[in-house]
Amino acid sequence: MASTRDEHRRAARISFTLIALAASAAVHAAPAAPPSLASCEGSYQQALGQTNTFDARGVWLDGHRIAWPGVAAEGQFKLYYSATAGIAATVGGKVSGADGSVALSVSAEPLPARFKYLGAGVALSTSELPALQKQIVLVQENTDGTVRDATALQIAGALDELYADAERVSDLGATAAKGGTSFKLWAPTAQQVAVCTYDNGSSKARAITPMKMDARTGTWSATARGGQYYKYVVDVVAGRAGLVRNLVTDPYSVSLNTDSQRSYIADLADPRLAPGGWKQDTSPPTVKALPDMSIYELHVRDFSINDRSVSLQNRGKYTAFHETGSNGMKHLTALARAGMTDVHLLPVYDIGSVPEKGCAVPRPSGAPDSDQQQAAVTATHLTDCYNWGYDPYHYSAPEGSYSTDPEDGARRIIEFREMVMALHKAGLRVGMDVVYNHTYRGGQDERSVLDRIVPGYYHRLDLKGEIEHSTCCFNTATENRMMAKLMIDSAELWTKFYHIDSFRFDLMGHQPRAAMEALQARVDKAAGRHIPLIGEGWNFGEVADGARFVQASQLSLNGSGIGTFSDRGRDAVRGGGAGDSGQQMISQQGYINGLSYDPNAGAGLRPIADLLQAADMIRVGLAGTLRDYPMQTYTGETHALKDIAYGGNQPAGYASQPGEAVNYVENHDNQTLYDINVFKLPLATSTEDRARVQMLAAAINAFSQGVAYYHAGFDILRSKSLDRNSFESGDWFNRLDWTYRDNNFGVGLPPAADNGKDYALIKPLLGNPALKPSPADIAFSRDVFRDLLRIRASSTLLRLRTTDDVKQRLRFFNVGPSQVPTVVAATIDGAGYDGAGFRSLTYLINVDKVARTVNGEAGKAYRLHPVQANGADKRAREAAYAAATGRFTIPARTAVVFVE
């Protein structure tokens, strides 16, 4: 038997469908004339009807209920509607400019869980909805009909219920066929929609074709012949802008012309868009489970723009990757041979912040501590060729600035595929960094796409109806059906048509776990194999602590098989936190750079307990941050990692399986590790020792259970001249040198916007030539890093598959109150374990400036790992094990592995 609520919903949908159908003629007979061919050449927006300004404090909960937070259930409530967006509702006066109204009744039904964040207020209901294509204003009136309060409405709840069937529309966008191109656009609140077609990226429109809306799904469709590019003309009520005619590209664009002016018509299965050998392209079979992944995070432009071994026309482009003889490709190939499994590309979808043609190329120069370089870079930062790319414009189209011909919509598709093929041939799987949590622009901005098609739907709104910005930009609402669908459809497209092997989700904690699990199922099906998903599971902003849904965050994803970046080991290794500035960057030393045992001049004397706690947190990371792994702490007590505190109020262990933890000590965000160590290591530390400290961090990452993640250039001591946020610091501060002669330290003061407040600290460091590593230091790090990759790849004991495996096989020693605090040591039992390669494996990491000895198990037939016995670090060969006593001796600032 259906519930009363279900009956209400069914009645509301029937009522709405009848009203929508009845209103259809009125919609198409709206005061605005139908768009003409001239509309295809006009401005990106045209005002059709002025409006009065309303905020949007009212919220549609579903197809028949509304919540108005903060308002008492007094007076009478009505919905006023207008096809021309002409409603005026001044407090104390009467509503004018409306076509009609619908009375509302106060409802006692509780708020749905999805909207619990709204808090107290009045709940209202109706069984008769006005057509949502019109302006709708919710008014609280006195008994005499005068206005007490008025607001617009947030529409996602209504659209999600009334147009739920739109989720099953499988061919949104442009579908090319012999009989013409089929266009489908979800725009349920639009009054009119037409599609303009063009022969190329600069020609005048050849035709405009009216589209028809399906009242059941809210999807507009049409078929048109000819043309290679297209845009939509959408007449829609857009909040404060009123009734507007928007000329807009397609959210489902698969490619575009220069600067995303027009969407490109393409069948991604067309052989003409496939480079030779594309059908035969396969991913390297190096990853059987998530812990097998060793990832190199790389920016496409960084990779080759300064590599003179790449032909000039290919520098900074997708095509650089198929120049196999270049220094950069030789570097990547060597990493793959050593055991790196994946390259993760910083955003390569269409981004909004980089001009795709005629971008500026500054030529900085100056002393190591000069401000001239940053001034030159900053002067062109909005028009230069560089950005990390966390500025999504079109989620499912390749970025044009990385193409040799951004005007040709086909070229970027082909070249992107060539890049994937080249990396696969080099032995590297290809992952994508995706940013579905926000868009580059919102509202009626020219580079806003989603909001100009269905205003107020795709973005997450605050209690006043303004778009939330906690992610930095215009937060999307992936809890809404069609935003989640756009994300999932996009990921499926990249998997199916570009052979993408994995995804890294920016600010994944702003997305629902349910949406991520649905995405996982879809991409796995598209690939016919498991596609690993990892992401930033940070818990903050308007969604924090499950305020709006169960998040895809660290503490909410356990058991999902989706990996999140772990800050536990990261912060213990580096010291302090990611947001530190000023003196904190110096005083907050970490485990590898001197905490307590080698204080710098600004750190003061830190208690030994701080070092012991850091050592325990290093072990947490080495154990895969697993919730149920039992570990003896420095106090002598044994606790499951979930019962050990991190950061005061979080559990140190949060993952259910090793593959759910992504271990890293450096990525594109914040200072590089070399740079943070410039702040934290004592100034007198030699560059040889600075290279050793860097490789201690590499060893911790390589030996940690879970996914290993590295920033490109980490292995060659990459510096960004102390820049804490190089997202638009240009080629100058983001340079990579694959000749291994320079690490880019001391190339000028970093941009003032993010670093200026710390110039007094930064300037003397950059001006100190003793802090710049030599080519020999860089080569040492490069070669030791590859040895560590080989060690990790040599045995599944460093890549254990399950929590039970870790609990049964990993045992830390040198623990408890009497430990040597600068040495972390563990043994992993390999008996009977598939791929172990050894009966057991023992690693020891000595971060101290002097050799240390610790006691292990006596009577073992240990020998130095074969890689290290003939490896790049000659000091490692001095490590010793005495079978009679079980004592290990580990040289200063050295990580060693013994096997039997």
Side-chain angles (χ1 to χ4, degrees):
M1 180 176 178
S3 67
T4 303
R5 190 172 187 176
D6 288 339
E7 290 172 356
H8 274 306
R9 286 179 170 173
R10 186 182 301 110
R13 290 197 68 176
I14 293 170
S15 173
F16 173 78
T17 301
L18 292 173
I19 292 172
L21 290 171
S24 179
V27 166
H28 291 291
S36 66
L37 200 60
S39 303
C40 301
E41 309 295 341
S43 169
Y44 70 93
Q45 68 170 5
Q46 177 187 351
L48 301 180
Q50 297 299 316
T51 189
N52 294 284
T53 298
F54 295 95
D55 56 20
R57 289 171 287 126
V59 179
W60 284 107
L61 303 176
D62 51 34
H64 73 286
R65 291 187 300 158
I66 296 169
W68 196 349
V71 172
E74 299 172 352
Q76 58 192 22
F77 297 87
K78 290 181 181 178
L79 291 177
Y80 287 87
Y81 52 90
S82 166
T84 57
I87 296 173
T90 305
V91 173
K94 292 194 175 184
V95 175
S96 63
D99 299 338
S101 65
V102 172
L104 301 172
S105 57
V106 174
S107 170
E109 290 187 66
L111 290 177
R114 172 180 174 182
F115 294 103
K116 63 184 179 181
Y117 68 91
L118 292 175
V122 65
L124 306 164
S125 66
T126 180
S127 59
E128 182 183 357
L129 294 181
L132 297 182
Q133 293 88 356
K134 301 183 179 184
Q135 179 193 32
I136 300 176
V137 178
L138 171 60
V139 180
Q140 181 186 32
E141 297 178 340
N142 298 308
T143 54
D144 64 355
T146 56
V147 176
R148 294 181 61 170
D149 201 355
T151 182
L153 291 138
Q154 300 180 27
I155 61 173
L159 297 186
D160 278 352
E161 176 162 308
L162 298 169
Y163 297 106
D165 289 342
E167 273 189 310
R168 293 193 285 274
V169 178
S170 61
D171 55 351
L172 291 173
T175 304
K178 289 183 179 179
T181 301
S182 168
F183 299 93
K184 287 189 178 180
L185 178 72
W186 188 71
T189 60
Q191 295 184 2
Q192 299 184 92
V193 180
V195 61
C196 303
T197 48
Y198 310 83
D199 288 332
N200 55 54
S202 58
S203 64
K204 290 191 176 296
R206 63 177 291 139
I208 183 169
T209 305
M211 302 178 76
K212 182 179 180 181
M213 189 179 89
D214 173 17
R216 181 176 57 86
T217 65
T219 301
W220 296 75
S221 61
T223 298
R225 289 181 175 274
Q228 196 62 67
Y229 292 86
Y230 69 103
K231 293 184 89 164
Y232 293 115
V233 179
V234 181
D235 289 3
V236 66
V237 175
R240 295 187 173 110
L243 180 61
V244 293
R245 174 165 290 167
N246 284 326
L247 183 61
V248 62
T249 49
D250 191 342
Y252 275 75
S253 297
V254 297
S255 190
L256 303 107
N257 72 324
T258 303
D259 292 330
S260 309
Q261 292 299 301
R262 294 174 180 176
S263 299
Y264 178 68
I265 299 170
D267 175 4
L268 293 179
D270 188 334
R272 292 172 294 181
L273 295 175
W278 180 244
K279 279 191 175 181
Q280 292 73 44
D281 175 64
T282 57
S283 302
T286 48
V287 174
K288 308 299 183 188
L290 258 70
D292 289 336
M293 295 179 76
S294 289
I295 299 170
Y296 205 58
E297 180 198 46
L298 183 65
H299 185 272
V300 167
R301 186 172 173 88
D302 287 352
F303 172 65
S304 62
I305 193 62
N306 291 298
D307 188 348
R308 293 189 178 183
S309 67
V310 174
S311 55
L312 184 61
Q313 70 271 19
N314 290 334
R315 292 179 199 168
K317 308 297 183 181
Y318 300 124
T319 48
F321 289 88
H322 60 65
E323 293 202 20
T324 56
S326 70
N327 293 331
M329 281 307 294
K330 287 177 181 177
H331 185 87
L332 294 185
T333 301
L335 289 175
R337 288 173 179 164
M340 193 71 76
T341 64
D342 290 63
V343 161
H344 264 206
L345 299 170
L346 266 70
V348 284
Y349 52 68
D350 182 48
I351 61 177
S353 53
V354 176
E356 293 181 352
K357 184 178 181 181
C359 56
V361 182
R363 305 292 182 188
S365 63
D369 60 350
S370 169
D371 66 355
Q372 295 178 31
Q373 298 93 325
Q374 69 87 30
V377 169
T378 301
T380 60
H381 75 281
L382 295 179
T383 58
D384 73 357
C385 308
Y386 193 91
N387 199 284
W388 280 346
Y390 293 89
D391 300 322
Y393 198 170
H394 297 87
Y395 287 119
S396 301
E399 163 60 11
S401 69
Y402 301 145
S403 172
T404 60
D405 185 1
E407 184 60 22
D408 182 353
R411 179 49 43 194
R412 65 181 73 183
I413 296 170
I414 295 168
E415 291 178 349
F416 191 111
R417 289 169 163 175
E418 288 175 338
M419 173 183 65
V420 172
M421 285 180 64
L423 287 166
H424 282 169
K425 287 178 181 178
L428 292 160
R429 293 153 37 94
V430 182
M432 273 186 70
D433 192 331
V434 287
V435 188
Y436 295 112
N437 64 81
H438 64 251
T439 58
Y440 180 51
R441 292 289 185 261
Q444 280 295 111
D445 188 278
E446 183 174 4
R447 286 174 288 184
S448 170
V449 177
L450 301 175
D451 230 8
R452 294 203 296 125
I453 294 172
V454 192
Y457 176 81
Y458 283 101
H459 292 95
R460 188 174 299 123
L461 308 178
D462 65 16
L463 295 181
K464 291 185 177 181
E466 300 292 339
I467 298 175
E468 295 278 7
H469 285 77
S470 60
T471 65
C472 83
C473 306
F474 296 81
N475 294 9
T476 56
T478 39
E479 63 270 31
N480 297 346
R481 286 181 189 270
M482 295 303 284
M483 183 59 221
K485 174 179 170 60
L486 175 59
M487 175 177 74
I488 295 167
D489 288 350
S490 174
E492 179 186 38
L493 179 146
W494 289 112
T495 304
K496 181 177 180 180
F497 292 108
Y498 290 94
H499 300 178
I500 294 299
D501 300 299
S502 61
F503 292 94
R504 181 261 189 204
F505 287 80
D506 180 70
L507 300 184
M508 185 172 63
H510 269 56
Q511 294 160 195
R513 171 174 170 153
M516 289 300 302
E517 290 180 317
L519 185 151
Q520 179 77 80
R522 184 84 72 80
V523 295
D524 285 358
K525 182 177 180 181
R529 56 189 170 90
H530 183 62
I531 299 294
L533 307 181
I534 63 173
E536 293 179 304
W538 315 133
N539 175 36
F540 70 98
E542 73 281 358
V543 299
D545 302 320
R548 300 199 183 204
F549 45 77
V550 176
Q551 299 159 259
S553 60
Q554 281 181 340
L555 302 186
S556 301
L557 271 175
N558 71 87
S560 67
I562 298 171
T564 59
F565 287 86
S566 174
D567 44 358
R568 277 58 169 169
R570 178 201 72 188
D571 289 351
V573 167
R574 294 167 66 101
D580 290 348
S581 61
Q583 193 62 31
Q584 282 182 320
M585 295 189 295
I586 295 172
S587 63
Q588 299 299 306
Q589 288 179 284
Y591 190 66
I592 64 166
N593 51 38
L595 172 60
S596 184
Y597 62 90
D598 189 21
N600 63 49
L605 292 176
R606 297 276 295 276
I608 193 67
D610 287 0
L611 177 60
L612 291 165
Q613 286 178 328
D616 276 352
M617 208 54 61
I618 295 292
R619 295 182 185 101
V620 168
L622 288 164
T625 324
L626 293 168
R627 296 169 55 84
D628 295 328
Y629 182 82
M631 188 183 82
Q632 185 182 4
T633 69
Y634 77 96
T635 65
E637 301 171 299
T638 297
H639 299 287
L641 299 188
K642 65 184 177 185
D643 297 322
I644 298 173
Y646 165 74
N649 58 358
Q650 295 184 66
Y654 66 81
S656 291
Q657 296 293 335
E660 292 177 0
V662 180
N663 303 300
Y664 74 115
V665 293
E666 173 186 313
N667 71 353
H668 62 274
D669 284 319
N670 311 121
Q671 296 94 342
T672 68
L673 184 64
Y674 189 87
D675 285 348
I676 208 68
N677 284 338
V678 166
F679 289 113
K680 295 181 187 294
L681 283 166
L683 277 178
T685 307
S686 68
T687 55
E688 293 88 346
D689 270 357
R690 290 176 185 276
R692 284 197 160 275
V693 169
Q694 185 105 347
M695 289 303 100
L696 290 173
I700 291 170
N701 221 37
F703 300 163
S704 293
Q705 302 296 333
V707 175
Y709 196 93
Y710 306 96
H711 183 212
F714 172 83
D715 50 326
I716 52 175
L717 305 182
R718 183 179 191 174
S719 170
K720 297 180 180 179
S721 207
L722 304 184
D723 194 349
R724 68 181 303 116
N725 187 17
S726 69
F727 78 104
E728 57 180 5
S729 298
D731 300 326
W732 184 258
F733 290 98
N734 288 285
R735 283 185 297 176
L736 283 166
D737 180 7
W738 301 125
T739 68
Y740 315 124
R741 290 193 290 267
D742 195 313
N743 79 329
N744 209 43
F745 180 80
V747 297
L749 286 164
D754 284 303
N755 304 278
K757 63 184 181 298
D758 294 322
Y759 273 0
L761 297 175
I762 293 172
K763 188 175 175 67
L765 296 172
L766 292 177
N768 184 349
L771 298 175
K772 191 174 183 69
S774 68
D777 299 325
I778 295 169
F780 169 83
S781 294
R782 175 198 66 202
D783 295 342
V784 171
F785 182 82
R786 292 175 188 176
D787 283 350
L788 291 168
L789 288 178
R790 292 183 184 100
I791 290 170
R792 181 177 172 88
S794 74
S795 176
T796 52
L797 297 182
L798 295 171
R799 299 174 278 119
L800 294 169
R801 273 40 183 157
T802 70
T803 294
D804 285 344
D805 292 342
V806 179
K807 289 169 68 176
Q808 292 167 14
R809 295 178 179 274
L810 174 65
R811 180 182 63 82
F812 292 106
F813 59 99
N814 183 46
V815 294
S818 61
Q819 67 182 272
V820 177
T822 52
V823 177
V824 171
T827 294
I828 310 173
D829 178 15
Y833 199 71
D834 186 35
F838 308 102
R839 187 182 306 130
S840 72
L841 180 150
T842 296
Y843 57 76
L844 304 101
I845 305 164
N846 176 18
V847 298
D848 213 335
K849 296 191 297 180
V850 296
R852 291 294 183 184
T853 60
V854 298
N855 293 322
E857 189 175 355
K860 294 291 185 177
Y862 283 129
R863 68 186 191 281
L864 200 61
H865 194 288
V867 168
Q868 287 190 313
N870 300 285
D873 186 0
K874 294 179 181 179
R875 188 184 292 182
R877 301 174 202 171
E878 300 170 10
Y881 166 73
T885 61
R887 175 165 291 188
F888 291 93
T889 301
I890 315 100
R893 286 180 166 150
T894 304
V896 295
V897 179
F898 287 90
V899 295
E900 63 168 348

